[in-house]
Amino acid sequence: MVQWPVKGTQEYISLAPSKIIAVGLNYHAHVQESKVFDLKKLEVPSEPVLFAKTPNVLIGPDEPIVIPALLKEYHFDENRIDHEAELAIIISKKCKHVTERDALNYVLGYTCFNDVSQRNIQKSDASGWFRGKSFDTFGPIGPVIVPPNLLPDPQKLAISCRVNGKTTQAASTADMIFSIRKLISFISHNFTLEAGDIIATGTPSGVSPIKAGDEVEVEIEGIGILRNPVIEEVL
Ligand code: MG
């Protein structure tokens, strides 16, 4: 079982969240590239766009992202699986109805997350994004949990992604539409957050396809590099 080191301590923690709440469309440039809205009246969301990923997605650094064998049965013209570099928040204690002012008091730490997404299924499933976002291994996280005292301003961090060494995403967490404080508060007004729950705060523009044989790296300033190879599932 993977354990993640906590920066500045000798501790390692397991990540066994009761839920992973992810945020869609939380960077302006990514809203535009997603073409989710009619381009003539493109607009940013009026409140955070939330969806869930299931805990079976979680893998650690250097573990492979596995492309499900099931996808071959669909014969997509392009089997499109994208990386999405994101800042993840790990919740420290049970909370509900948290104010924005108090929100950061419920953060155990920050780390890198890759919200791996299968686009064909994400677009076509009648129930929405669930299946395309929650295949096994579609949530690499790590390499280290950084406590808030070691990352005093999480809203000013360079965030980037590389595929085989080539930069595909490069932005700042300052570009989020809804801030970390706002996200924790909003989510906690919808759902009770438990210790260990994970919030994935959305990805900047530049999401790009990955395929078997690739190596994908998510890097966030002050946290480190989350590196994972991509392989095909062999039955
Ligand atoms: Mg995402």
Side-chain angles (χ1 to χ4, degrees):
M1 184 184 198
V2 181
Q3 294 213 303
W4 285 261
V6 180
K7 190 173 179 179
T9 75
Q10 303 296 317
E11 278 178 65
Y12 284 75
I13 60 172
S14 301
L15 291 176
S18 74
K19 54 196 167 297
I20 303 165
I21 304 294
V23 183
L25 308 172
N26 199 31
Y27 286 79
H28 290 279
H30 178 59
V31 172
Q32 300 201 23
E33 74 177 358
S34 296
K35 297 181 182 170
V36 165
F37 303 107
D38 182 330
L39 286 174
K40 291 186 191 119
K41 41 183 180 178
L42 193 70
E43 52 185 317
V44 300
S46 59
E47 61 182 7
V49 176
L50 305 184
F51 63 95
K53 283 175 83 93
T54 41
N56 60 300
V57 302
L58 296 178
I59 57 172
D62 301 314
E63 293 194 299
I65 298 164
V66 180
I67 297 174
L70 165 81
L71 296 173
K72 288 203 180 83
E73 297 175 17
Y74 290 88
H75 304 290
F76 297 125
D77 287 341
E78 183 194 12
N79 176 9
R80 177 77 187 245
I81 298 169
D82 284 347
H83 65 69
E84 294 190 356
E86 307 198 7
L87 175 71
I89 301 163
I90 317 294
I91 295 295
S92 61
K93 55 194 170 197
K94 185 172 181 169
C95 57
K96 192 163 192 193
H97 301 308
V98 175
T99 63
E100 289 184 41
R101 183 193 169 100
D102 288 342
L104 300 189
N105 295 334
Y106 295 91
V107 176
L108 175 74
Y110 301 94
T111 192
C112 306
F113 187 72
N114 189 346
D115 175 19
V116 180
S117 306
Q118 208 297 331
R119 300 298 186 203
N120 314 73
I121 299 277
Q122 185 186 354
K123 284 176 192 155
S124 64
D125 265 10
S127 72
W129 297 6
F130 164 58
R131 199 162 58 117
K133 290 282 193 178
S134 287
F135 288 113
D136 289 350
T137 75
F138 274 30
I141 191 165
V144 64
I145 312 297
V146 181
N149 63 315
L150 298 181
L151 208 60
D153 193 351
Q155 210 71 74
K156 276 190 185 166
L157 305 175
I159 177 168
S160 62
C161 192
R162 291 180 291 279
V163 179
N164 304 326
K166 182 171 176 262
T167 300
T168 50
Q169 296 184 280
S172 167
T173 59
D175 302 335
M176 286 183 193
I177 296 169
F178 299 105
S179 69
I180 291 163
R181 287 178 182 274
K182 172 76 183 177
L183 292 175
I184 294 171
S185 176
F186 180 79
I187 291 168
S188 78
H189 280 78
N190 285 268
F191 316 112
T192 298
L193 286 167
E194 305 281 349
D197 281 356
I198 296 168
I199 298 172
T201 57
T203 199
S205 64
V207 299
S208 301
I210 53 175
K211 61 184 188 315
D214 287 344
E215 180 184 77
V216 55
E217 293 174 303
V218 175
E219 180 166 13
I220 301 178
E221 181 183 5
I223 298 174
I225 299 173
L226 171 64
R227 182 181 297 115
N228 300 87
V230 184
I231 65 172
E232 294 264 5
E233 183 179 25
V234 178
L235 297 179

